[in-house]
Amino acid sequence: MTFQSVVQMCERELSELSQQNAISAQVRNTLLQSGCLSSSMEEIADRMNLTSRTLRRHLKREETTFSEIVDMTRTELAVKYLREADLSIEEIARVLGFSETASFVRAFKRCTGKTPKAYRISG
């Protein structure tokens, strides 16, 4: 009987984890589909038919925030563009929703430890 209880508990935990992970993945996908990585949490929550408060609560359960997901998504796209596209750093910054190239450079360096130019040369 104890073994069965443990199995049921594990199944519940796995189910909750998969549902939680689905929320951050949905946020990322919604950001990408919106075509605007500078969308607000309220706009994304609305597209997901949630309130921003509910979205924030779900993300908190996953121990992440909307800002972290946006930063991670921007960084992943920036790396892809720096490796694969013939876009200038200024163009990449604009595509990713940064109003100034300097802001993009600072954010990229904070996330990767390198400037976009250094990353492009080394990578």
Side-chain angles (χ1 to χ4, degrees), residues 15-94:
S15 176
E16 286 180 28
L17 282 173
S18 65
Q19 288 175 358
Q20 291 171 1
N21 288 334
I23 292 295
S24 59
Q26 286 177 29
V27 169
R28 184 180 184 282
N29 290 338
T30 304
L31 277 167
L32 293 171
Q33 289 171 356
S34 75
C36 181
L37 292 175
S38 57
S39 296
S40 70
M41 182 168 64
E42 289 74 18
E43 292 168 324
I44 296 301
D46 189 51
R47 284 177 172 254
M48 295 174 65
N49 296 315
L50 298 170
T51 64
S52 58
R53 184 174 179 205
T54 299
L55 178 58
R56 184 177 290 114
R57 190 175 64 247
H58 285 301
L59 293 175
K60 186 175 181 178
R61 277 192 220 137
E62 290 184 42
E63 298 179 3
T64 192
T65 65
F66 181 77
S67 296
E68 289 172 343
I69 294 169
V70 171
D71 288 346
M72 183 179 66
T73 304
R74 280 180 166 167
T75 302
E76 289 172 7
L77 288 172
V79 165
K80 180 180 178 182
Y81 295 151
L82 288 167
R83 285 186 180 159
E84 300 172 7
D86 288 332
L87 298 172
S88 70
I89 292 171
E90 293 77 16
E91 290 170 319
I92 293 171
R94 192 172 51 250

